[in-house]
Amino acid sequence: MNRFVIAVLIAASASAQTLEQRVDRELPSLLTTYKTLHASPELSTKEQKTSAFVASKLRELGYEVTERVGKYEEPGETCYGVVAMMRNGDGPVVLIRSDLDGLPVNEQTGLPHASTNANVMHACGHDVHMTTLIGTAKILADTRSQWRGTVMLIGQPAEEVVRGAKGMLADGLYERFARPNYAIAIHDWAALESGKVGFRAGYVMANSDSVDVTVRGVGGHGAAPDKSKDPVVIAAEIVVALQTIVSRGNSPLDPVVVTVGSIHGGSKRNIIPDEVKLYLTVRTYKPEVRQRVLASIERIAKGIAQAAGVPADRMPIVEVHKNEAAPATYNDPALTERWANALRRELGAANVVLMDPVMVSEDFGRFSLDGKIPAVMLMVGAADPAKVASGAALPGLHSSVFAPTPVDLVLKTAVRTVVAGVNELLKR
Ligand SMILES: [Zn+2]
Ligand SMILES: [Zn+2]
C-alpha cells in the first residue's frame, strides 16, 4: 500500500468511528475533569474559578471564548458567564447550556473526590453538566467535517438563584454573539436510572414565584384581644384559605402549588403583635394561571383582613419578588421529538423514556425568549441501577449524599445525548 492509500484508510476509519467509541476514548480525561470540578464547587454568583476553568478548557479546544458575560441588576456583582463559539460554515446556530454553580450543602458522600470547600457542594450535578459541555466541545471540534453551522456553548452562573440566564441575556448575549435557532440543555436526574434519558414535550418544569405577605393587625395585651386586631389569627386563616386557590379556584387540569414555607410573628405569649410575615413559593405552568394565582393571593389576604375588621390603612402588604422569579421550562414539541428520535438510534429505544413533568424550577427557559426560540431540556439518569433494582431509597438532587452513580456511565450517556442532539440539528 502506498502512503496515500494508508492516509485515506486512516481518515476513513476515523470518520467511521461511532459516537460511542469517541466518547469512550474521552472518558478517562472527562472523569478527571468531573472530579476536579466536584471537589471545588462555588456558590451562585461566586463562580470565579469554575468559570475560568471551563473557559480555559474550551479555549484549548479551539473555541472562541469570552468570559464574564452577564450583568446583574444588583450593582457591584460580577456575572461569571462563559460563551464559547465555534463557527463552522453556513447552518443553524445551536445554543448548548451548562450551569456552573454549587449549593450551600455540607457534602456527606464520603467520596474521595468530595468537596473540599466547607458547606458548598455540587449537589445538583452542575459538575456533570460542565463536564458534558467540555466533552461535547471536544467531540464536535474533532468532527468538524461532519457538521455545519455554529455551536454556541454557554457556561451559565447563578442557576440555583435563577438569576444567571437573565443576567447573560441582559448583557446582549444574542446581539453580541449570535441569536440561536435552537437552545438545548440537559439536567442530571436523581430519580432516573443511569444510562437512561428522560424526555417530555410541553411543560416540564414550573414557573416559580416568591411572594411575601405582611399581615398587619393592631397589637396589644394578650389578655385583652377585644382591644386589638390579632394578626396571628388572621395569618392562620390566610394560610388555610390560600389552599382554596388550588382546590377551588383553579382547573384541576392545571397544576398549581402554593406553599407557605415560613411564618414569623410575635415575641412573647402575652403580647398580640402588630404583624406576621408569611413567605410563599408559588408554582404554575401557564402564564394566565400564574397571573390569576398571584392575584388570588392578594385578594384572599385582603379579604380575610377586611372580614376581621382590620383598618383600611393596615391591609396586608403583598410583594412579588421579580428578581427571584423563574419562567416555566417548555420543551418545544417538534424539537423534543427530533432529539428523542436521534437518541433512540444512539442509545436504543429502551433507554429513552417518557418522563412526568415536575414543579421544580430552572431558568433555562429564559434562553427561549418566551418560546420564540425552540428550546428543550432533557433529563439524564444519575440513579444507581443497583439501588433502582432493589427498590432502595434514592437521594434526591440537593441532598448531601447525592452522587451520580456510576459516574462514568452518567457522563458517557450525557455526552452521547448532547452530541447526538447537535449532530441531528447540524448534520451536513
Ligand atoms: Zn438545583
Ligand atoms: Zn440544577
Side-chain angles (χ1 to χ4, degrees):
M1 265 189 292
N2 67 34
R3 274 155 78 181
F4 174 75
V5 173
I6 292 169
V8 167
L9 284 177
I10 288 169
S13 75
S15 66
Q17 262 190 339
T18 65
L19 174 54
E20 183 174 13
Q21 286 166 337
R22 285 185 185 280
V23 179
D24 279 337
R25 210 176 53 200
E26 299 304 327
L27 259 185
S29 109
L30 290 177
L31 269 169
T32 306
T33 296
Y34 170 77
K35 288 175 183 173
T36 304
L37 287 165
H38 188 82
S40 42
E42 292 173 299
L43 290 173
S44 308
T45 76
K46 313 276 188 241
E47 309 88 343
Q48 186 177 357
K49 290 179 187 152
T50 307
S51 61
F53 178 87
V54 171
S56 76
K57 289 274 181 193
L58 297 176
R59 205 171 275 128
E60 271 169 30
L61 293 170
Y63 288 74
E64 183 190 311
V65 179
T66 310
E67 292 179 68
R68 305 201 175 186
V69 177
K71 216 168 27 190
Y72 293 128
E73 281 163 30
E74 294 72 5
E77 274 185 326
T78 307
C79 187
Y80 292 106
V82 177
V83 179
M85 306 291 290
M86 185 168 278
R87 299 176 206 272
N88 189 25
D90 287 342
V93 179
V94 179
L95 178 154
I96 308 165
R97 179 271 215 163
S98 166
D99 28 23
L100 304 172
D101 49 338
L103 284 160
V105 170
N106 190 11
E107 179 161 357
Q108 305 292 333
T109 60
L111 289 166
H113 54 275
S115 171
T116 53
N117 296 344
N119 298 315
V120 189
M121 176 185 175
H122 272 302
C124 202
H126 298 182
D127 44 1
V128 171
H129 308 166
M130 287 184 268
T131 308
T132 303
L133 193 75
I134 292 164
T136 298
K138 167 79 169 114
I139 289 173
L140 291 176
D142 286 350
T143 57
R144 288 173 79 138
S145 62
Q146 294 168 36
W147 58 274
R148 68 1 121 248
T150 297
V151 172
M152 182 176 185
L153 307 175
I154 302 286
Q156 183 214 301
E159 186 284 321
E160 295 291 354
V161 294
V162 294
R163 287 170 52 199
K166 195 178 182 183
M168 291 186 79
L169 289 163
D171 199 18
L173 178 66
Y174 291 171
E175 294 74 28
R176 288 169 59 191
F177 299 95
R179 184 183 160 112
N181 299 94
Y182 308 100
I184 63 172
I186 54 151
H187 204 297
D188 59 346
W189 209 242
L192 180 66
E193 189 177 336
S194 300
K196 294 188 189 298
V197 174
F199 75 99
R200 181 171 201 96
Y203 288 110
V204 287
M205 289 193 191
N207 292 301
S208 167
D209 286 288
S210 298
V211 183
D212 295 352
V213 181
T214 307
V215 180
R216 301 182 299 169
V218 178
H221 200 292
D226 52 311
K227 303 285 191 294
S228 63
K229 296 291 175 201
D230 186 348
V232 172
V233 174
I234 297 167
E237 283 187 50
I238 291 172
V239 170
V240 176
L242 288 177
Q243 295 312 312
T244 63
I245 295 172
V246 182
S247 65
R248 302 290 86 182
N250 183 61
S251 161
L253 303 179
D254 283 324
V256 172
V257 176
V258 178
T259 290
V260 180
S262 173
I263 174 166
H264 289 273
S267 58
K268 196 168 181 291
R269 287 187 178 82
N270 63 355
I271 299 172
I272 291 173
D274 285 323
E275 63 174 45
V276 173
K277 285 247 184 201
L278 307 177
Y279 300 93
L280 285 65
T281 187
V282 177
R283 306 296 169 106
T284 51
Y285 284 134
K286 296 177 183 164
E288 62 270 26
V289 173
R290 177 188 209 170
Q291 289 316 317
R292 196 184 61 235
V293 169
L294 294 175
S296 301
I297 291 169
E298 177 142 9
R299 191 189 69 244
I300 287 171
K302 292 195 168 154
I304 288 174
Q306 247 164 12
V310 170
D313 63 344
R314 297 284 294 160
M315 283 295 113
I317 299 166
V318 178
E319 290 168 280
V320 180
H321 292 279
K322 289 214 169 70
N323 271 354
E324 291 179 27
T329 307
Y330 181 83
N331 279 349
D332 178 82
L335 183 57
T336 307
E337 200 41 46
R338 222 175 138 185
W339 195 0
N341 268 331
L343 289 178
R344 288 181 190 108
R345 293 191 294 272
E346 176 64 28
L347 302 171
N351 290 320
V352 184
V353 298
L354 185 64
M355 277 189 53
D356 288 332
V358 291
M359 300 304 280
V360 298
S361 295
E362 246 288 345
D363 63 356
F364 169 66
R366 288 204 188 275
F367 291 108
S368 79
L369 303 181
D370 287 328
K372 288 192 241 350
I373 295 167
V376 176
M377 172 175 275
L378 296 189
M379 304 309 175
V380 172
D384 184 350
K387 276 195 180 167
V388 173
S390 72
L394 298 164
L397 294 177
H398 294 200
S399 155
S400 61
V401 291
F402 170 67
T405 309
V407 71
D408 49 354
L409 177 60
V410 177
L411 294 171
K412 176 174 168 173
T413 309
V415 177
R416 290 173 78 189
T417 295
V418 178
V419 177
V422 176
N423 282 341
E424 168 63 27
L425 297 172
L426 299 183
K427 62 189 163 202
R428 279 190 186 271

